[in-house]
Amino acid sequence: MDTLTASFVAKSLVAGGVAGMCAKTTVAPLDRIKILLQAHNKHYKHDGVLSGLRNIVARENVWALYKGNGAQMVRIFPYASTQFTSFELYKKMLTRMWGQYPSLRGATSALAGSAAGVTAVFLTYPLDTIRARLAFQVAGEHVYSGIINAAITIFHTEGGMRALYRGFSATVCGMIPYAGLSFYCFEQMKYLCMKYLSHIACRPCEKNTGGLVLKVPAKLLCGGLAGAVAQSFSYPFDVTRRRMQLAWMNEETRKFGMGMVDTLRLIYQQDGITRGLYRGMSINYMRAIPMVAVSFSTYEVTKQFLGLDTGLSIKTG
């Protein structure tokens, strides 16, 4: 296990940032259509995933599939850096605290993941609001010309920092189960693969504790399953967050910006569970599974490249 040093923190920050950028760029087109469907954009509210992607290209152009991804990259590097590094730090801290209580060790990854997710969201949330606003725009109806213009406009016309943090409470409520389950499921599935399937899922690695490391396909599988489980529990809060973030884009949707509980209730009353709180869930599986898979896999590969331990000690044979 790596000791807590400036070098360890710096390398974890780099590995986390690279992982986040690779993961988000991989699913950027799905991210954009998800935002358009979640918030009922008038041009795409009757579309499905594939028809929506086709119509984005037809109505705008192929690069429009990546609209808002510039703001996403500005946000995701510090977000992912903070999340992964915070997870490592919180996990070390909890492991030291609970060393004498073996029964509590299983909850370490879940609690460290939840705390890391909330930490990262708090530090980068305004950039997520800006990215969502930019991605929601369609050709010929632009309200904002770019990241800085969006930030200044939202700040001056919608209530300062409070406007940039609109939907934050819903995000935290969703992030606690999402990040907690993501890290917990990934760590547990990685452990099971290394313990019971080491002959097919692992390869030797002298630098790593235990002398084994998961192969990339196994990492992708563990990450994808972790993402699917986590999204299933947290998705209604993700829909609520988007509706609140985009509420002030036009007069008709401002009713969704009044508060998390009111927004949840309004979505349920207007559209129900399937078409409201879980609207766009199919596309979310399509994007979340590869996104989390690429994120965890890239993070672990980058950690190994930088000489960091992946943190599991499994004795085999």
Side-chain angles (χ1 to χ4, degrees):
M1 182 70 72
D2 294 294
T3 56
L4 183 57
T5 63
S7 175
F8 169 78
V9 172
K11 289 178 179 180
S12 293
L13 288 169
V14 170
V18 170
M21 292 178 74
C22 290
K24 281 295 187 180
T25 299
T26 299
V27 299
L30 293 173
D31 256 339
R32 179 153 194 238
I33 191 61
K34 176 192 141 186
I35 289 173
L36 294 170
L37 292 178
Q38 276 186 335
H40 294 253
N41 184 283
K42 64 182 180 181
H43 298 293
Y44 301 97
K45 63 183 180 180
H46 299 300
D47 286 331
V49 176
L50 296 179
S51 60
L53 290 170
R54 284 197 302 267
N55 286 338
I56 288 174
V57 176
R59 176 178 287 276
E60 302 178 65
N61 54 59
V62 69
W63 296 111
L65 293 170
Y66 289 86
K67 185 175 288 184
N69 197 51
Q72 180 73 291
M73 292 300 99
V74 172
R75 179 191 79 93
I76 201 61
F77 190 92
Y79 173 85
S81 294
T82 301
Q83 184 180 41
F84 278 108
T85 305
S86 296
F87 172 74
E88 301 284 2
L89 300 180
Y90 290 139
K91 189 169 81 165
K92 288 176 185 291
M93 180 183 70
L94 290 172
T95 299
R96 284 196 299 268
M97 288 172 55
W98 294 349
Q100 58 184 326
Y101 303 107
S103 60
L104 296 176
R105 289 175 188 169
T108 299
S109 294
L111 290 176
S114 294
V118 172
T119 300
V121 164
F122 175 74
L123 294 176
T124 61
Y125 192 80
L127 288 169
D128 187 51
T129 297
I130 292 167
R131 196 271 304 195
R133 295 287 185 97
L134 294 175
F136 190 70
Q137 298 182 131
V138 297
E141 300 178 7
H142 282 200
V143 178
Y144 313 110
S145 60
I147 298 172
I148 295 176
N149 175 255
I152 293 173
T153 303
I154 295 169
F155 185 87
H156 284 299
T157 63
E158 298 181 24
M161 287 302 295
R162 181 179 178 182
L164 291 168
Y165 274 89
R166 185 172 289 120
F168 179 73
S169 57
T171 303
V172 170
C173 289
M175 182 55 66
I176 291 172
Y178 174 73
L181 284 169
S182 291
F183 280 101
Y184 175 78
C185 290
F186 180 75
E187 294 276 306
Q188 290 301 308
M189 284 185 278
K190 184 168 72 168
Y191 172 82
L192 292 173
C193 283
M194 295 181 78
K195 185 172 183 178
Y196 298 108
L197 300 172
S198 60
H199 58 294
I200 59 174
C202 300
R203 62 177 176 80
C205 180
E206 294 302 325
K207 294 181 179 180
N208 199 48
T209 303
L212 291 175
V213 67
L214 280 185
K215 295 176 181 177
V216 172
K219 288 174 180 166
L220 289 170
L221 178 62
C222 291
L225 290 173
V229 172
Q231 283 289 332
S232 298
F233 285 91
S234 63
Y235 192 71
F237 293 105
D238 189 45
V239 173
T240 303
R241 167 180 63 125
R242 287 292 180 226
R243 297 306 293 267
M244 293 178 72
Q245 284 179 329
L246 302 171
W248 284 56
M249 291 289 283
N250 59 64
E251 291 290 339
E252 295 178 1
T253 60
R254 290 195 178 184
K255 59 190 176 183
F256 291 105
M258 297 299 106
M260 183 190 74
V261 175
D262 289 337
T263 301
L264 268 168
R265 185 185 300 115
L266 188 57
I267 293 171
Y268 174 74
Q269 290 174 345
Q270 283 196 181
D271 302 301
I273 296 176
T274 304
R275 294 180 177 274
L277 294 174
Y278 276 90
R279 178 177 173 82
M281 187 61 181
S282 59
I283 187 176
N284 209 51
Y285 279 130
M286 291 170 62
R287 61 171 283 283
I289 292 174
M291 182 183 73
V292 177
V294 170
S295 181
F296 277 118
S297 300
T298 305
Y299 178 63
E300 297 242 320
V301 169
T302 308
K303 279 177 67 179
Q304 291 160 22
F305 177 77
L306 294 174
L308 296 179
D309 197 335
T310 57
L312 281 180
S313 178
I314 304 295
K315 294 181 180 179
T316 60

